[in-house]
């Protein structure tokens, strides 16, 4: 996914109950007509509400009404709404955090943010073999530009994330999150998946649908700023 270098309003339905009104001492009855209002489906192109930004390991990440609502302050975050916006925010946060977490952060991030299964287990084994003790170099850190919700259901969402770098290059990272019943979790690709999920972004050839993109006004990259935030 994103590396240091190249590197989603629950549905509501309202029903009016039928009422039986009988006049005292009268045989006349009036029955209210049942009416059901079907809500409009969620719009994946609506931006998250009230976005604020904070840095994790030199990378600016969005916080909004749709999540994350819980932040430990040392890496793991959770609490994403069961909406396309919550799914997208979960995809962004969990992908970035698992990619650049320090040695003292990654295990909790993986446990809290990734969907359980052999893919998560394999990532944990691989991550344990490397060491990251400092924040990412701001000159190499990606800046979030926007995302596209490619597919969305109540159980799963496919999110493509656009990022840019200080050298003017850009990348698209394809991610998947799944709803566990209480939150969105990042689903890592299966071991036998051959297609790369990270692509160099070329507006002339990319399949990334800019017409459906939700733009993110992330703070400008401080390409010469060497200060990092844990």
């Amino acid at each position: 996914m994103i590396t240091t270098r190249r590197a989603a309003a629950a549905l509501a339905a309202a029903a009016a109950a039928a009422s039986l009104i009988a006049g005292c001492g009268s045989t006349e009855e009036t029955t209210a007509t049942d009416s059901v209002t079907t809500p409009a489906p969620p719009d994946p192109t609506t931006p998250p509400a009230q976005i604020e930004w904070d840095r994790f390991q030199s990378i600016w990440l969005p916080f909004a009404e749709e999540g994350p609502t819980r932040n430990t302050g040392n890496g793991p975050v959770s609490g994403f709404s069961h909406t396309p916006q919550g799914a997208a925010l979960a995809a962004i946060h969990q992908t970035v955090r698992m990619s650049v977490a320090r040695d003292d952060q990654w295990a909790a991030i993986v446990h809290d943010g990734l969907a359980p299964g052999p893919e998560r287990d394999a990532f944990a084994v691989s991550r344990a073999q490397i060491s990251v003790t400092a924040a990412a170099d701001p000159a190499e850190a990606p800046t979030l530009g926007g995302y596209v919700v490619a597919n969305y259901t109540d159980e799963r969402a496919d999110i493509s994330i656009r990022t840019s770098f200080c050298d003017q290059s850009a990348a698209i990272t394809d991610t998947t999150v799944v709803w566990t019943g209480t939150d969105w979790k990042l689903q890592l690709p299966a071991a036998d998946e051959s297609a790369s999920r990270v692509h160099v972004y070329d507006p002339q050839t990319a399949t990334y649908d800019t017409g459906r993109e939700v733009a993110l006004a992330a703070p400008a990259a401080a390409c010469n700023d060497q200060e990092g935030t844990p």
Side-chain angles (χ1 to χ4, degrees), residues 1 159-161 172-176 196-199 207-208:
M1 197 349 227
I159 315 291
S160 295
I161 305 165
I172 302 297
T173 303
D174 299 325
T175 68
T176 296
S196 173
R197 291 204 172 192
V198 181
H199 320 275
T207 57
Y208 184 81

Side-chain angles (χ1 to χ4, degrees), residues 159-180:
I159 315 291
S160 295
I161 305 165
R162 179 174 60 84
T163 54
S164 60
F165 299 86
C166 286
D167 64 1
Q168 306 304 309
S169 65
I172 302 297
T173 303
D174 299 325
T175 68
T176 296
V177 291
V178 294
W179 183 253
T180 64

Side-chain angles (χ1 to χ4, degrees), residues 143-206:
T143 297
L144 291 166
Y147 67 85
V148 170
V149 180
N151 297 289
Y152 179 83
T153 68
D154 284 344
E155 295 77 33
R156 172 190 172 109
D158 297 320
I159 315 291
S160 295
I161 305 165
R162 179 174 60 84
T163 54
S164 60
F165 299 86
C166 286
D167 64 1
Q168 306 304 309
S169 65
I172 302 297
T173 303
D174 299 325
T175 68
T176 296
V177 291
V178 294
W179 183 253
T180 64
T182 57
D183 213 348
W184 292 105
K185 305 282 187 179
L186 184 68
Q187 178 64 63
L188 296 181
D192 60 355
E193 182 175 317
S194 58
S196 173
R197 291 204 172 192
V198 181
H199 320 275
V200 174
Y201 176 58
D202 182 347
Q204 302 302 318
T205 60

Side-chain angles (χ1 to χ4, degrees), residues 30-58:
T30 302
T31 302
T33 303
D34 290 349
S35 62
V36 177
T37 301
T38 302
D43 183 359
T45 64
T46 299
Q50 302 297 321
I51 294 180
E52 297 181 354
W53 295 86
D54 197 10
R55 284 200 294 185
F56 176 73
Q57 295 292 76
S58 298

Side-chain angles (χ1 to χ4, degrees), residues 105 125 133 139 171 181-182 198 224-225 227:
Q105 298 171 323
V125 170
T133 59
T182 57
V198 181
N224 296 319
D225 179 9
E227 178 185 357

Side-chain angles (χ1 to χ4, degrees), residues 207-219:
T207 57
Y208 184 81
D209 188 351
T210 55
R212 297 176 58 206
E213 181 184 64
V214 177
L216 296 174

